[in-house]
Amino acid sequence: MIEISPQDLADRYMAQWTEPDAAERRAAIERLWAEDGTHILQPPVEIREIAAKLGFDHTTLEAQGYDAIEIRVARSYERFVEKGGFTFRSRADAVRLHGVVKFGWETVSVETGDVAGGGLEILVLDDDSRIKADYMFPGA
């Protein structure tokens, strides 16, 4: 397995979410992710509660492959960075255990610098240290 600094990976991972140039964003995705990588998001609690009332026993949201991940990252950029006035940054707490990297991240107001939210990220890496599975827990 190719070794990579867990903090460097966390920082590059977060940078893809704030990259304004679509071509650069796609290139970052292709450098970071395995071709069949999957982004798995635990939705906010209010969405999970609504889904449970409708009889759904799970509520994970998934995007698999470069194209789907690119759409997911682009929509997040448009909503939170471009229109919302936020940026994302990793906390300085990334750790690696074999092929798994765990770190926290923050949503930060560009205008005030205040932390408005954040979460926990668990990345499962392939033998080339590219993201095979990404488990995102906003609010954690």
Side-chain angles (χ1 to χ4, degrees), residues 1-5 96 98 129:
M1 178 169 278
I2 296 171
E3 287 298 318
I4 184 170
S5 156
R96 181 173 181 162
H98 294 292
S129 288

Side-chain angles (χ1 to χ4, degrees), residues 5-135:
S5 156
Q7 193 61 53
D8 178 56
L9 178 63
D11 293 343
R12 290 188 301 121
Y13 173 87
M14 295 312 297
Q16 77 181 335
W17 298 91
T18 61
E19 173 56 56
D21 182 86
E24 288 296 320
R25 194 167 42 240
R26 174 64 183 230
I29 289 166
E30 291 183 10
R31 284 189 302 270
L32 284 166
W33 293 81
E35 191 170 348
D36 62 344
T38 304
H39 172 72
I40 304 139
L41 171 71
Q42 180 184 48
V45 69
E46 56 271 11
I47 292 175
R48 295 194 311 265
E49 289 172 352
I50 291 168
K53 289 178 184 175
L54 294 173
F56 291 98
D57 60 355
H58 71 282
T59 55
T60 57
L61 305 175
E62 297 184 21
Q64 184 174 25
Y66 291 152
D67 292 344
I69 292 166
E70 180 180 14
I71 290 169
R72 166 75 179 107
V73 173
R75 295 278 158 54
S76 177
Y77 174 83
E78 291 163 4
R79 178 174 180 198
F80 297 108
V81 178
E82 187 175 61
K83 295 176 182 168
F86 294 102
T87 190
F88 303 109
R89 67 181 180 210
S90 61
R91 296 184 186 122
D93 64 353
V95 294
R96 181 173 181 162
L97 182 60
H98 294 292
V100 176
V101 173
K102 173 186 76 87
F103 63 94
W105 53 270
E106 298 173 330
T107 303
V108 181
S109 168
V110 173
E111 185 177 316
T112 66
D114 293 338
V115 174
L120 174 69
E121 213 71 30
I122 306 287
L123 305 177
V124 179
L125 307 179
D126 67 11
D127 289 340
D128 295 321
S129 288
R130 293 169 69 193
I131 301 166
K132 181 76 174 162
D134 166 18
Y135 297 92

